[in-house]
Amino acid sequence: MVKEQSIKEYDVVIIGGGAAGLSAAVTLGRALRSVLVIDAGEPRNAPAAGVHGFLSRDGIDPRELLELGREEARGYGVDIVDGVAVAARSTASEDEGAEPAFEVDLGEGITVKARRLLVTTGLTDLLPGIEGLRERWGRDVLHCPYCHGWEVRNKAIGILGTVPMALHQTLLFRQWSPDITLFLNDVVEPTDEEWEQLAARSINVVEGKVRSLEVTDDAVSGVVLASGKVIPVEAMVTGTRLEARSGVLESLGVKVVEHPMGVGRHVEVNPMGGATSVPGVWAAGNVVDLMGQVMASAASGVMAGAAINAHLITGETRLAVEAARKNSGRRSA
């Protein structure tokens, strides 16, 4: 916990201490900026046994990766506080050309000031309301073949039909196993072309509503239909609705919109660095890119950090020029 007397004004306050937030913090710390990271300690991938697709860190425990990131950030003078950003607001002057300024409340009467804000609060996975999914989420109930496909290769994999993307997921996971079963779940209705694709790839299709998962010896063992019939599987794949954790951003006036692929809601930003529609506020990671993996989130944090530093330099240069002009005018008088 940062000492209260040291919580004054920072160049940048980062709300969210995942891969995106910590990568931005390291980038800004290396740029000699004063940085505070506020982290609630609720990473999206906490249920998973390991992070995959992250070069040189494949299989690392998600929390270990974050702790390593914290150590790196602290090495560049970054302050990190465990807590929740209760509220944030702009305190900038309404004068034309005024520099952005913000206050962030952490609760317990603690408020920090920031010249710029970066929000990297990630997203929430909203799972279908089927018994057993939430309890097995991140273990043998999965969603991303690039994150978990290797771990379930050649196993009997079930695909739960909850969204149109289920057909896409089905064909993707067929790369990792020849034993794929698509459960239509009274939701998915394949077209003639899709039926042809499923048959050509030897994918089993089961009709009827899914009631629950069967679990044996702490592992998914089957899918229970509403009829009571059990279809054996060793892993289950489901689509989720992806909802950006956007409360702080919305309180600042940043709009959250439906993703063009219909998978959830996200924040639209400038692709060159992550600036939002509100001056002085940036966003990065899964709050922006709903389908980005950990490494993509880390990369977006680096880009946002660099963009924020450049924006600060632009403002500082403008103020320096204005001050120089004033001083020059006084001397000439």
Side-chain angles (χ1 to χ4, degrees):
M1 186 77 173
V2 182
K3 293 181 181 179
E4 184 170 352
Q5 60 265 31
S6 69
I7 302 182
K8 296 180 181 178
E9 179 176 334
Y10 290 86
D11 290 329
V12 185
V13 168
I14 300 173
I15 303 174
L22 290 173
S23 295
V26 169
T27 300
L28 288 160
R30 286 177 55 83
L32 308 179
R33 293 297 180 184
S34 59
V35 181
L36 173 67
V37 177
I38 304 168
D39 184 39
E42 299 174 350
R44 175 196 181 195
N45 59 0
V51 172
H52 297 287
F54 201 116
L55 191 63
S56 83
R57 292 292 184 270
D58 190 68
I60 190 172
D61 182 277
R63 293 190 182 277
E64 182 182 355
L65 178 64
L66 296 185
E67 189 53 45
L68 289 171
R70 284 185 168 208
E71 289 179 13
E72 289 184 6
R74 289 190 181 106
Y76 293 108
V78 173
D79 287 333
I80 300 175
V81 60
D82 296 317
V84 177
V86 178
R89 57 193 166 275
S90 172
T91 57
S93 167
E94 296 183 1
D95 295 342
E96 185 177 353
E99 281 286 287
F102 304 92
E103 288 184 349
V104 181
D105 296 332
L106 279 69
E108 299 181 359
I110 299 175
T111 297
V112 296
K113 296 181 179 181
R115 298 171 62 198
R116 303 292 187 274
L117 282 183
L118 171 60
V119 179
T120 59
T121 43
L123 61 80
T124 298
D125 291 282
L126 302 180
L127 276 75
I130 291 177
E131 182 183 343
L133 284 184
R134 172 58 66 182
E135 292 81 0
R136 307 300 306 178
W137 178 242
R139 301 167 69 188
D140 40 23
V141 172
L142 316 167
H143 73 293
C144 171
Y146 302 104
C147 302
H148 305 289
W150 174 267
E151 284 65 42
V152 297
R153 65 193 184 280
N154 298 321
K155 291 187 176 183
I157 303 172
I159 313 293
L160 178 62
T162 55
V163 293
M165 285 287 288
L167 287 161
H168 176 66
Q169 284 182 310
T170 301
L171 294 173
L172 275 180
F173 271 90
R174 178 61 179 81
Q175 171 63 23
W176 280 266
S177 174
D179 190 352
I180 301 293
T181 300
L182 170 61
F183 294 87
L184 298 181
N185 192 35
D186 290 350
V187 174
V188 176
E189 297 180 3
T191 64
D192 290 344
E193 181 182 3
E194 289 166 342
W195 276 115
E196 186 178 24
Q197 292 172 344
L198 293 167
R201 294 293 280 158
S202 301
I203 293 169
N204 305 311
V205 179
V206 174
E207 298 185 10
K209 192 73 174 173
V210 171
R211 186 174 72 196
S212 63
L213 294 187
E214 181 183 74
V215 178
T216 305
D217 296 330
D218 196 30
V220 168
S221 57
V223 174
V224 183
L225 303 179
S227 65
K229 184 177 181 179
V230 178
I231 309 296
V233 300
E234 297 171 280
M236 196 68 185
V237 174
T238 182
T240 64
R241 181 165 176 81
L242 310 173
E243 287 287 327
R245 295 172 178 167
S246 56
V248 171
L249 286 165
E250 292 183 83
S251 73
L252 290 163
V254 177
K255 291 184 178 179
V256 181
V257 299
E258 189 72 19
H259 191 278
M261 294 181 66
V263 295
R265 297 195 315 148
H266 73 135
V267 175
E268 289 184 320
V269 297
N270 185 318
M272 299 301 291
T276 71
S277 58
V278 175
V281 179
W282 276 257
N286 283 147
V287 73
V288 172
D289 181 4
L290 296 180
M291 290 173 284
Q293 292 179 262
V294 177
M295 190 165 235
S297 291
S300 73
V302 172
M303 294 299 292
I308 292 169
N309 183 57
H311 196 262
L312 283 164
I313 289 172
T314 298
E316 290 161 352
T317 302
R318 179 178 59 81
L319 292 174
V321 168
E322 291 176 358
R325 287 174 177 171
K326 286 182 178 179
N327 290 335
S328 175
R330 289 196 188 100
R331 285 196 298 271
S332 63

Coordinates of all heavy atoms in Angstrom, one line a residue, residues 35-69:
V35 N 4.2 7.4 -11.7 CA 3.0 6.5 -12.1 C 2.5 5.8 -10.9 O 3.2 5.3 -10.1 CB 3.5 5.4 -13.2 CG1 2.3 4.6 -13.6 CG2 4.1 6.1 -14.4
L36 N 1.2 5.7 -10.8 CA 0.5 4.9 -9.8 C -0.4 3.9 -10.5 O -1.2 4.3 -11.4 CB -0.4 5.8 -8.9 CG -1.3 5.0 -7.9 CD1 -0.4 4.3 -6.9 CD2 -2.3 6.0 -7.2
V37 N -0.3 2.6 -10.1 CA -1.2 1.6 -10.6 C -2.2 1.2 -9.5 O -1.7 0.9 -8.4 CB -0.4 0.4 -11.1 CG1 -1.4 -0.8 -11.5 CG2 0.5 0.7 -12.2
I38 N -3.5 1.3 -9.8 CA -4.5 0.8 -8.8 C -5.0 -0.5 -9.3 O -5.6 -0.6 -10.4 CB -5.6 1.9 -8.7 CG1 -5.1 3.2 -8.3 CG2 -6.7 1.4 -7.7 CD1 -6.1 4.4 -8.5
D39 N -4.9 -1.6 -8.5 CA -5.3 -2.9 -9.0 C -6.2 -3.6 -8.0 O -5.9 -3.7 -6.8 CB -4.1 -3.7 -9.2 CG -4.5 -5.1 -9.8 OD1 -5.4 -5.1 -10.6 OD2 -3.9 -6.1 -9.4
A40 N -7.4 -4.1 -8.4 CA -8.3 -4.7 -7.5 C -8.0 -6.2 -7.3 O -8.6 -6.8 -6.5 CB -9.7 -4.6 -8.1
G41 N -7.0 -6.7 -8.0 CA -6.6 -8.1 -7.8 C -7.6 -9.1 -8.3 O -7.7 -10.2 -7.7
E42 N -8.3 -8.8 -9.4 CA -9.3 -9.8 -9.9 C -9.0 -10.0 -11.4 O -9.8 -9.7 -12.3 CB -10.7 -9.2 -9.7 CG -11.0 -9.0 -8.3 CD -12.4 -8.3 -8.1 OE1 -12.9 -7.8 -9.1 OE2 -12.9 -8.2 -6.9
P43 N -7.9 -10.6 -11.8 CA -7.6 -10.9 -13.2 C -8.6 -11.8 -13.8 O -9.0 -12.8 -13.2 CB -6.2 -11.5 -13.2 CG -6.1 -12.1 -11.8 CD -6.8 -11.2 -10.9
R44 N -9.0 -11.6 -15.0 CA -9.9 -12.4 -15.8 C -9.5 -13.8 -15.8 O -10.3 -14.8 -15.7 CB -10.1 -11.8 -17.2 CG -11.0 -12.6 -18.1 CD -10.9 -12.2 -19.5 NE -11.7 -13.0 -20.4 CZ -11.6 -13.1 -21.7 NH1 -10.6 -12.4 -22.3 NH2 -12.4 -13.8 -22.4
N45 N -8.2 -14.1 -16.0 CA -7.7 -15.4 -16.2 C -7.3 -16.1 -15.0 O -6.6 -17.2 -15.0 CB -6.5 -15.4 -17.2 CG -5.3 -14.6 -16.7 OD1 -5.4 -14.0 -15.7 ND2 -4.3 -14.5 -17.5
A46 N -7.7 -15.6 -13.8 CA -7.3 -16.2 -12.5 C -7.7 -17.7 -12.4 O -6.9 -18.5 -11.9 CB -8.0 -15.5 -11.4
P47 N -8.9 -18.2 -13.0 CA -9.2 -19.6 -12.9 C -8.3 -20.5 -13.7 O -8.3 -21.7 -13.4 CB -10.6 -19.7 -13.4 CG -11.2 -18.3 -13.3 CD -10.0 -17.4 -13.6
A48 N -7.6 -20.0 -14.7 CA -6.8 -20.8 -15.5 C -5.5 -21.3 -14.8 O -4.9 -20.6 -14.0 CB -6.4 -20.0 -16.8
A49 N -5.0 -22.5 -15.2 CA -3.8 -23.0 -14.6 C -2.5 -22.3 -15.2 O -1.5 -22.2 -14.5 CB -3.7 -24.5 -14.9
G50 N -2.6 -21.8 -16.4 CA -1.5 -21.2 -17.0 C -1.8 -20.2 -18.1 O -2.9 -20.3 -18.7
V51 N -0.9 -19.3 -18.4 CA -1.0 -18.4 -19.5 C -0.3 -19.0 -20.7 O 0.9 -19.4 -20.6 CB -0.4 -17.0 -19.1 CG1 -0.3 -16.1 -20.3 CG2 -1.1 -16.3 -18.0
H52 N -0.9 -19.0 -21.8 CA -0.3 -19.5 -23.0 C -0.3 -18.5 -24.1 O -1.0 -17.5 -24.2 CB -1.1 -20.8 -23.5 CG -1.0 -21.9 -22.5 ND1 0.1 -22.6 -22.2 CD2 -2.0 -22.3 -21.6 CE1 -0.2 -23.5 -21.3 NE2 -1.4 -23.3 -20.9
G53 N 0.7 -18.7 -25.0 CA 0.8 -17.8 -26.1 C 1.6 -16.5 -25.8 O 1.7 -15.5 -26.5
F54 N 2.3 -16.5 -24.6 CA 3.1 -15.4 -24.1 C 4.5 -15.8 -24.2 O 5.0 -16.6 -23.4 CB 2.7 -15.0 -22.7 CG 3.1 -13.6 -22.3 CD1 2.1 -12.7 -22.0 CD2 4.4 -13.2 -22.3 CE1 2.5 -11.4 -21.6 CE2 4.8 -11.9 -21.9 CZ 3.8 -11.0 -21.6
L55 N 5.2 -15.3 -25.2 CA 6.6 -15.7 -25.6 C 7.5 -15.7 -24.3 O 7.5 -14.6 -23.6 CB 7.1 -14.8 -26.7 CG 8.5 -15.3 -27.3 CD1 8.3 -16.7 -28.0 CD2 9.0 -14.3 -28.3
S56 N 8.2 -16.7 -24.1 CA 9.1 -16.9 -23.0 C 8.5 -17.2 -21.6 O 9.1 -17.5 -20.6 CB 10.1 -15.7 -22.8 OG 9.5 -14.7 -22.1
R57 N 7.1 -17.1 -21.6 CA 6.4 -17.3 -20.3 C 5.3 -18.3 -20.4 O 4.4 -18.3 -19.7 CB 5.9 -16.0 -19.8 CG 6.9 -15.0 -19.3 CD 7.6 -15.5 -18.0 NE 8.5 -14.5 -17.5 CZ 9.8 -14.4 -17.8 NH1 10.3 -15.3 -18.7 NH2 10.6 -13.5 -17.3
D58 N 5.4 -19.2 -21.5 CA 4.3 -20.1 -21.8 C 4.0 -21.0 -20.6 O 4.9 -21.7 -20.1 CB 4.6 -20.9 -23.0 CG 3.4 -21.7 -23.5 OD1 2.4 -21.1 -23.9 OD2 3.4 -23.0 -23.3
G59 N 2.8 -21.1 -20.1 CA 2.4 -22.0 -19.0 C 2.5 -21.4 -17.7 O 2.2 -22.0 -16.7
I60 N 3.0 -20.1 -17.6 CA 3.2 -19.5 -16.3 C 1.8 -19.3 -15.6 O 0.8 -19.0 -16.2 CB 4.0 -18.2 -16.4 CG1 4.4 -17.6 -15.0 CG2 3.1 -17.1 -17.2 CD1 5.3 -16.5 -15.1
D61 N 1.8 -19.4 -14.3 CA 0.6 -19.1 -13.5 C 0.2 -17.7 -13.7 O 1.1 -16.8 -13.6 CB 0.9 -19.4 -12.0 CG -0.4 -19.2 -11.2 OD1 -0.6 -18.0 -10.8 OD2 -1.1 -20.1 -10.9
P62 N -1.0 -17.4 -14.0 CA -1.4 -16.0 -14.2 C -1.0 -15.0 -13.1 O -0.6 -13.9 -13.4 CB -3.0 -16.1 -14.3 CG -3.2 -17.5 -14.8 CD -2.2 -18.3 -14.1
R63 N -1.1 -15.4 -11.9 CA -0.8 -14.5 -10.8 C 0.7 -14.3 -10.6 O 1.2 -13.3 -10.2 CB -1.4 -15.0 -9.5 CG -2.9 -14.9 -9.5 CD -3.5 -15.2 -8.1 NE -5.0 -15.2 -8.2 CZ -5.7 -14.1 -8.1 NH1 -5.2 -12.9 -8.0 NH2 -7.1 -14.1 -8.1
E64 N 1.5 -15.4 -11.0 CA 2.9 -15.2 -11.0 C 3.4 -14.2 -12.0 O 4.3 -13.4 -11.8 CB 3.6 -16.6 -11.2 CG 5.1 -16.5 -11.1 CD 5.8 -17.8 -11.4 OE1 5.1 -18.9 -11.6 OE2 7.0 -17.9 -11.5
L65 N 2.7 -14.3 -13.2 CA 3.1 -13.3 -14.2 C 2.8 -11.9 -13.8 O 3.7 -11.0 -14.0 CB 2.2 -13.6 -15.5 CG 2.5 -12.7 -16.7 CD1 3.9 -12.8 -17.2 CD2 1.4 -12.9 -17.8
L66 N 1.7 -11.7 -13.1 CA 1.4 -10.3 -12.6 C 2.4 -9.9 -11.6 O 2.8 -8.7 -11.5 CB 0.0 -10.3 -12.1 CG -1.1 -10.5 -13.2 CD1 -2.5 -10.3 -12.6 CD2 -0.9 -9.6 -14.4
E67 N 2.8 -10.8 -10.7 CA 3.7 -10.4 -9.6 C 5.1 -10.1 -10.2 O 5.8 -9.1 -9.8 CB 3.9 -11.6 -8.6 CG 4.7 -11.2 -7.4 CD 4.2 -9.9 -6.7 OE1 2.9 -9.8 -6.5 OE2 5.0 -9.1 -6.4
L68 N 5.5 -10.8 -11.3 CA 6.8 -10.5 -11.9 C 6.6 -9.1 -12.6 O 7.6 -8.3 -12.6 CB 7.1 -11.5 -13.0 CG 7.5 -12.9 -12.5 CD1 7.6 -13.9 -13.6 CD2 8.9 -12.8 -11.8
G69 N 5.5 -8.8 -13.2 CA 5.2 -7.5 -13.8 C 5.3 -6.4 -12.8 O 5.8 -5.3 -13.0

